[in-house]
């Protein structure tokens, strides 16, 4: 009996290597998946940076002491100070003396007539009013510091007149003119669209203001804002009136810059000049004032 031959099993275990090779569809699919992962990571990083920037945009609010500026009040302007009121001792000396004292004073006056004349001359010269050399403002001595209207310098970076007007409107800054034959101040607001004119008393306006003295493009724009609203300028220079909320923003920016660059103990009296620049806001819409330079009264002190 013949033995059955063994089946050939080699063909059963043969592997088709071509089926294990990555085809073009798999390669494209893998590439797209990788790109999606990278894009997702990039979006996540940008979102994280955005939220971190939003969190840091809430700047620290610094408690600032009110700046007390010396002023002459109702005293007349001049180059000296008004006389101090007499002390109780001085008032007592002005009282009418007794008879014995009077005779003694007359005798001394006769013997020292030259001294008496000299004292009379000095008394007459000291009685001449020479006004008060303090600046206009509530009467008082104030602190030893450079006032804000002299210390601050506001710069606006704008491509054209409308861009400049949008910045002023954003901070609610009015352009005004004062002096000449008019006793009132002419104000103009809403500069970017239809300028609105109003008139007010200078004594009722307690806002910080800056005179546009330096000739330049922005000063010409200020004049055009006033003239377009029907304000007769003449020789009157344009004035920028700063609202209290904008003034506080400037004060906070100044103090933070001092704290970062100069000292954690904020001393406004050391500042001689702070230069601000109006720029587009780093976060959100609108604008912000950024300190670009700050100079100090004691330059050698660090």
């Amino acid at each position: 009996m013949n033995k059955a031959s063994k089946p050939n099993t080699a063909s059963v275990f043969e592997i088709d290597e071509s089926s294990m090779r990555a085809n073009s569809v798999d390669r494209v699919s893998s590439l797209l998946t990788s790109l999606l992962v990278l894009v997702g990571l990039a979006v996540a990083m940008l979102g994280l940076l955005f939220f971190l920037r939003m969190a840091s945009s809430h700047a620290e609010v610094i408690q600032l002491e009110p700046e007390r500026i010396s002023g002459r009040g109702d005293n007349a302007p001049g180059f000296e100070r008004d006389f101090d009121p007499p002390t109780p001792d001085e008032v007592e000396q002005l009282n009418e003396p007794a008879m014995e004292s009077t005779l003694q004073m007359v005798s001394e006056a006769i013997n020292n007539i030259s001294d008496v004349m000299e004292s009379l001359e000095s008394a007459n010269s000291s009685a001449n009013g020479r006004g008060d050399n303090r600046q206009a403002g509530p009467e008082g001595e104030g602190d030893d510091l450079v006032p804000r209207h002299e210390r601050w310098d506001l710069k606006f970076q704008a491509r054209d007149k409308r861009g400049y007007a949008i910045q002023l409107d954003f901070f609610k800054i009015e352009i005004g003119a004062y002096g000449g034959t008019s006793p009132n101040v002419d104000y103009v607001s809403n500069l970017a669209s239809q300028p609105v004119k109003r008139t007010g008393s200078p004594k009722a306006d307690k806002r910080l203001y800056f005179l546009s003295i330096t000739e330049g493009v922005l000063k010409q724009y200020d004049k055009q804002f006033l003239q377009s609203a029907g304000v007769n300028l003449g020789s009157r220079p344009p004035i920028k009136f700063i609202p209290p909320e904008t003034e506080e923003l400037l004060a906070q920016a100044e103090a933070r810059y001092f704290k970062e660059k100069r000292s954690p103990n904020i001393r406004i009296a050391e500042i001689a000049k702070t230069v601000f620049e109006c720029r587009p806001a780093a976060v959100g819409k609108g604008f912000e004032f950024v300190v670009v330079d700050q100079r100090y009264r004691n330059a050698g002190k660090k």
Side-chain angles (χ1 to χ4, degrees):
M1 184 174 179
N2 296 329
K3 294 182 180 178
S5 60
K6 295 182 180 179
N8 187 6
T9 59
S11 60
V12 177
F13 296 98
E14 287 183 355
I15 298 175
D16 187 3
E17 295 181 357
S18 63
S19 64
M20 299 182 63
R21 296 175 183 174
N23 54 35
S24 59
V25 175
D26 295 333
R27 285 196 293 268
V28 172
S29 177
S30 300
L31 179 61
L32 291 176
T33 303
S34 301
L35 288 176
L36 289 175
V37 172
L38 291 176
V39 170
L41 290 175
V43 171
M45 291 296 296
L46 290 175
L48 179 61
L49 289 175
F50 175 78
F51 286 112
L52 289 176
R53 197 167 188 179
M54 286 289 291
S56 62
S57 65
H58 300 286
E60 173 191 5
V61 178
I62 301 175
Q63 298 297 326
L64 300 174
E65 295 291 334
E67 296 185 13
R68 298 175 298 176
I69 307 299
S70 62
R72 61 174 179 265
D74 295 331
N75 300 325
F79 57 89
E80 287 191 1
R81 294 293 178 89
D82 293 335
F83 301 111
D84 295 329
T87 63
D89 293 338
E90 293 173 335
V91 173
E92 183 178 353
Q93 293 176 5
L94 294 175
N95 292 333
E96 184 177 358
M99 182 61 69
E100 295 84 356
S101 300
T102 303
L103 294 176
Q104 184 178 359
M105 291 171 61
V106 171
S107 177
E108 291 177 355
I110 294 173
N111 294 331
N112 303 283
I113 187 64
S114 60
D115 295 339
V116 173
M117 294 301 296
E118 184 179 352
S119 63
L120 288 175
E121 290 176 359
S122 63
N124 289 332
S125 63
S126 63
N128 294 329
R130 298 185 180 181
D132 195 316
N133 62 356
R134 290 171 291 187
Q135 64 181 359
E139 186 171 5
E141 294 302 322
D143 299 325
D144 180 22
L145 51 80
V146 180
R148 288 176 174 176
H149 67 274
E150 296 180 5
R151 189 173 78 238
W152 289 355
D153 185 7
L154 308 184
K155 296 184 179 298
F156 295 85
Q157 302 294 333
R159 296 182 178 180
D160 51 26
K161 178 180 175 182
R162 176 170 173 77
Y164 175 51
I166 292 174
Q167 294 178 21
L168 294 177
D169 287 345
F170 180 82
F171 290 105
K172 300 180 181 178
I173 297 175
E174 285 187 306
I175 303 296
Y178 174 68
T181 58
S182 175
N184 296 319
V185 182
D186 295 319
Y187 302 96
V188 177
S189 58
N190 197 32
L191 308 172
S193 53
Q194 184 63 37
V196 177
K197 175 187 173 183
R198 69 182 182 89
T199 302
S201 170
K203 293 184 178 180
D205 198 333
K206 306 301 181 184
R207 292 177 296 177
L208 178 70
Y209 63 88
F210 296 92
L211 288 172
S212 298
I213 299 175
T214 304
E215 294 294 337
V217 176
L218 297 186
K219 184 176 180 179
Q220 295 303 317
Y221 288 162
D222 292 341
K223 290 181 178 181
Q224 293 173 17
F225 293 144
L226 292 166
Q227 292 168 348
S228 64
V231 177
N232 184 15
L233 268 179
S235 61
R236 298 186 295 175
I239 306 173
K240 289 184 178 67
F241 290 88
I242 312 299
E245 56 269 24
T246 301
E247 182 179 354
E248 180 62 21
L249 290 175
L250 294 168
Q252 289 290 323
E254 178 185 52
R256 286 193 295 268
Y257 189 92
F258 185 96
K259 184 177 181 180
E260 178 183 354
K261 302 293 184 179
R262 183 74 167 175
S263 170
N265 299 321
I266 299 171
R267 295 180 293 272
I268 300 299
E270 290 186 14
I271 303 176
K273 178 70 68 176
T274 299
V275 182
F276 301 89
E277 186 176 280
C278 183
R279 298 176 178 176
V283 177
K285 299 180 179 180
F287 302 90
E288 62 181 353
F289 279 107
V290 179
V291 177
V292 295
D293 187 24
Q294 196 171 79
R295 298 187 290 273
Y296 309 101
R297 301 172 74 180
N298 300 323
K301 184 178 179 181
K302 296 182 179 181

